[in-house]
Amino acid sequence: GADGELLAQVIGVGGVPASAVAVTANVTVTFTTANSYLTFFQAGTSMPATSNLNWSVGEIKSNMAVLPLALATGQTGQGGSVDAFNLSGSTAVVIDITGWYTPTVVE
C-alpha cells in the first residue's frame, strides 16, 4: 500500500546460499493503482534517495536490480532479507532472482 514496506526473505529461496550478500533480480510490478516507485534497500538500514523502478497507474513494468541483503539476524532481525518501499497506491511485486554475490577473499 501507500508508504508501505515489504520485507522479502531471499536467503534460502531458489537456491540463494546463506553466504549471499546481494542478489541480482528482475523486479516486476503489476496491478498498479497509482503513479509510484519502488526502492529496494538492505533491511534494517536507512532507505536511499533513489528508486529501482518507476511506473504510471495501470502499467506492468520491470527492471533489473542489484538488491543488498541484510547480513545477520542479529544486525536487523531479518538476516538474508531485502526491504522494498512503495510510495503511492498498491501493487503486486514479483522478484525473480537471477544470481547472487558472495564475499570473495583476495590474497
Side-chain angles (χ1 to χ4, degrees), residues 70-80:
L71 300 180
T73 301
Q75 173 193 355
T76 66
Q78 295 295 330

Side-chain angles (χ1 to χ4, degrees), residues 12 14 18 23 28 43-44 46 48 51-52 69 74 83 92 102-103:
V23 295
T28 303
S46 298
S51 63
N52 298 96
L69 304 178
D83 214 346
T102 55

Side-chain angles (χ1 to χ4, degrees), residues 5 20 22-25 32 38 46 56 58 66 68 74 79 88 94:
E5 289 188 31
V23 295
T24 54
T32 57
L38 279 181
S46 298
S56 298
V66 175
S88 300
V94 179

Side-chain angles (χ1 to χ4, degrees), residues 29-38 53-61 86-92:
V29 293
T30 187
F31 302 111
T32 57
T33 63
N35 298 342
S36 190
Y37 64 82
L38 279 181
L53 185 59
N54 305 283
W55 66 87
S56 298
V57 64
E59 282 190 312
I60 298 172
K61 202 110 180 239
N86 174 39
L87 177 68
S88 300
S90 62
T91 183

Side-chain angles (χ1 to χ4, degrees), residues 27 38-42 48 50 52 65 67-68 82-85 93 95:
V27 179
L38 279 181
T39 298
F40 286 91
F41 56 103
Q42 188 179 36
T50 57
N52 298 96
L67 311 178
V82 64
D83 214 346
F85 171 80
V93 178
I95 303 171

